[in-house]
Amino acid sequence: MKTICNKFIERECDKRRYTQETMQRYIKDVNRLIEYMEENKIYKIEELDVDEFQNHIFTKKDAKGKTISRKTLNNIISRLRIFFNYIVLIKQVNNNPFEKLSNYKVDKNTTDKRNFTLEELKKIFSGKYDNARKEILDCLRFLLLTGIRTEEFYNLNKDSFCTDCNHPFLKVKTAKQGDGNVFYRNVPLHPLLKDLYKHSWVAKIKKVYSNKGTLSKALNAEIDKVIKDNTVSVHRLRGNFANAIDEWLVVAGFKDYVGTDKKLLGHSENLKKDDIEDQVKHKITKTILGYAPDMTHGTYAKSEYMDAKILAIQGLGAFKNIFEYLNIPKNQIGYVKPRKSRKTKNKPIAMIAK
């Protein structure tokens, strides 16, 4: 099965344009199934009770005594369902055992995740905790004040920083792409990020952390030093970004713009032609966050959203006094150090399967 998984990664995942992180998840899920079959002495797919396997994954506790969520479990089963469709396609098995396995119901109105409190953000950005590193705190600050995802941060390049204009902005390759299409959105850069209006510091971080996954672990580890709570993570900075904007718009009297965080965060949304004008007027926050197409076609100066976006990010002033680490002398705060290169064979990600 491992050999077939490698073949699936090399061929099918390339067709589907999966990210390396997604490929790693497929490898992990297939290994999870293999381990279960070995532990239960199951030697043929026909002997596998997928319902029992699903229950096993759902009830299994990790090192911290926690079980996975229903949503995570559904994602695991979904990936295995797609993987076995491929196995059926190449005629290694006759039927997909996961095809008719139902998912657990997930209540979309409830979640165990929350945004950070302002006091928690102050502690994170104080720089007073062990082994604090300036570039990691810079990255967290950048994510908080742009609302971009860690994956989107990792995809930034020198052309992403557009600063030779009256209103500097970030051209973001949105993580949620359409099939065969590439979408970008433009995010105004707040003055609180003025020292980071360049790509060089991003390039330095990418030399240390080889992919989005290792960077996310480093960012979450920095948060974990301060807040021992699994309900918050680096991804929740997007929620703080959206809330700061919407709360300011209410106070400033621009209620028509409130509730528009989806477009700013980078999620897809179908726009109706007859309703575009209203959506431009009322849903600016959603556009900045990237939940919907930017409709700029790469021309920021002509964007229908430009003025509204610049207005909206004024709400980020709520974070003005929390970045105490910037006041720490250079010789009293740590920095990330490039890792020494190791002589290893350049194997494709597919060969890393356990």
Side-chain angles (χ1 to χ4, degrees), residues 212-275:
K212 176 257 181 183
T214 56
L215 176 59
S216 291
K217 286 182 180 179
L219 296 173
N220 281 317
E222 188 68 30
I223 293 170
D224 194 52
K225 292 178 193 175
V226 185
I227 308 169
K228 304 294 183 180
D229 188 343
N230 289 334
T231 64
V232 289
S233 67
V234 63
H235 190 70
R236 297 313 310 160
L237 293 174
R238 281 165 59 81
N240 285 97
F241 171 90
N243 284 351
I245 288 175
D246 280 348
E247 287 174 8
W248 180 83
L249 290 171
V250 171
V251 173
F254 297 97
K255 294 183 179 180
D256 286 345
Y257 291 108
V258 177
T260 59
D261 55 308
K262 283 190 175 181
K263 289 182 184 170
L264 291 166
L265 282 169
H267 284 229
S268 62
E269 179 179 350
N270 293 324
L271 294 177
K272 297 179 181 179
K273 291 183 179 180
D274 296 337
D275 199 32

Side-chain angles (χ1 to χ4, degrees), residues 293-349:
D294 205 353
M295 302 199 310
T296 63
H297 303 292
T299 308
Y300 181 69
K302 296 180 180 179
S303 170
E304 299 167 80
Y305 292 115
M306 183 183 70
D307 291 339
K309 285 182 180 179
I310 293 170
L311 171 70
I313 67 165
Q314 291 186 47
L316 302 176
F319 305 122
K320 181 179 180 180
N321 298 316
I322 70 171
F323 305 115
E324 294 180 9
Y325 80 97
L326 294 174
N327 299 320
I328 299 176
K330 291 184 178 180
N331 62 349
Q332 295 181 25
I333 189 169
Y335 294 83
V336 297
K337 297 179 181 179
R339 295 180 180 180
K340 294 181 180 180
S341 60
R342 293 180 292 179
K343 294 182 179 180
T344 56
K345 293 182 178 180
N346 187 21
K347 293 183 179 180
I349 190 171

Side-chain angles (χ1 to χ4, degrees), residues 43-286:
Y43 305 107
K44 295 181 180 180
I45 293 298
E46 292 78 8
E47 299 173 354
L48 175 66
D49 186 330
V50 292
D51 186 62
E52 285 296 324
F53 169 72
Q54 184 185 45
N55 184 63
H56 167 77
I57 298 300
F58 189 46
T59 57
K60 186 177 181 179
K61 295 183 178 180
D62 61 16
K64 296 181 180 180
K66 293 184 174 293
T67 57
I68 65 174
S69 67
R70 292 187 173 202
K71 182 178 179 180
T72 300
L73 176 60
N74 289 344
N75 289 337
I76 292 171
I77 298 302
S78 177
R79 284 189 287 269
L80 289 173
R81 190 177 291 122
I82 292 172
F83 174 64
F84 272 88
N85 280 339
Y86 174 75
I87 297 181
V88 172
L89 179 67
I90 62 175
K91 299 181 180 180
Q92 295 298 308
V93 295
N94 295 323
N95 299 295
N96 182 345
F98 292 93
E99 184 177 8
K100 296 183 179 180
L101 182 64
S102 59
N103 288 340
Y104 280 90
K105 184 177 179 181
V106 177
D107 187 350
K108 296 182 179 180
N109 296 320
T110 61
T111 177
D112 59 351
K113 303 298 182 182
R114 65 176 178 83
N115 295 336
F116 296 91
T117 67
L118 191 60
E119 287 303 315
E120 287 172 336
L121 290 175
K122 284 182 179 179
K123 289 181 180 179
I124 292 170
F125 290 110
S126 69
K128 297 178 181 178
Y129 290 81
D130 292 341
N131 197 31
R133 289 160 293 172
K134 184 179 183 300
E135 291 86 353
I136 294 298
L137 293 175
D138 281 344
C139 186
L140 289 170
R141 174 165 56 109
F142 195 83
L143 296 177
L144 173 64
L145 297 176
T146 60
I148 66 174
R149 303 174 178 86
T150 312
E151 179 182 346
E152 292 169 341
F153 173 86
Y154 202 84
N155 288 333
L156 296 177
N157 56 47
K158 62 181 181 180
D159 295 325
S160 302
F161 290 80
C162 305
T163 58
D164 189 19
C165 54
N166 292 332
H167 301 286
F169 68 97
L170 193 69
K171 184 179 179 181
V172 183
K173 182 180 179 181
T174 299
K176 305 296 184 181
Q177 298 290 332
D179 185 24
N181 297 311
V182 179
F183 296 112
Y184 291 87
R185 71 182 187 279
N186 297 326
V187 179
L189 289 168
H190 194 277
L192 288 173
L193 288 174
K194 195 166 185 178
D195 59 314
L196 303 179
Y197 284 8
K198 52 191 175 183
H199 178 253
S200 57
W201 71 278
V202 177
K204 183 177 180 180
I205 288 178
K206 290 166 72 172
K207 284 183 180 180
V208 179
Y209 302 101
S210 58
N211 55 55
K212 176 257 181 183
T214 56
L215 176 59
S216 291
K217 286 182 180 179
L219 296 173
N220 281 317
E222 188 68 30
I223 293 170
D224 194 52
K225 292 178 193 175
V226 185
I227 308 169
K228 304 294 183 180
D229 188 343
N230 289 334
T231 64
V232 289
S233 67
V234 63
H235 190 70
R236 297 313 310 160
L237 293 174
R238 281 165 59 81
N240 285 97
F241 171 90
N243 284 351
I245 288 175
D246 280 348
E247 287 174 8
W248 180 83
L249 290 171
V250 171
V251 173
F254 297 97
K255 294 183 179 180
D256 286 345
Y257 291 108
V258 177
T260 59
D261 55 308
K262 283 190 175 181
K263 289 182 184 170
L264 291 166
L265 282 169
H267 284 229
S268 62
E269 179 179 350
N270 293 324
L271 294 177
K272 297 179 181 179
K273 291 183 179 180
D274 296 337
D275 199 32
I276 286 180
E277 184 176 350
D278 286 339
Q279 294 198 39
V280 170
K281 183 179 179 182
H282 300 296
K283 300 183 179 179
I284 187 60
T285 313
K286 291 183 181 178

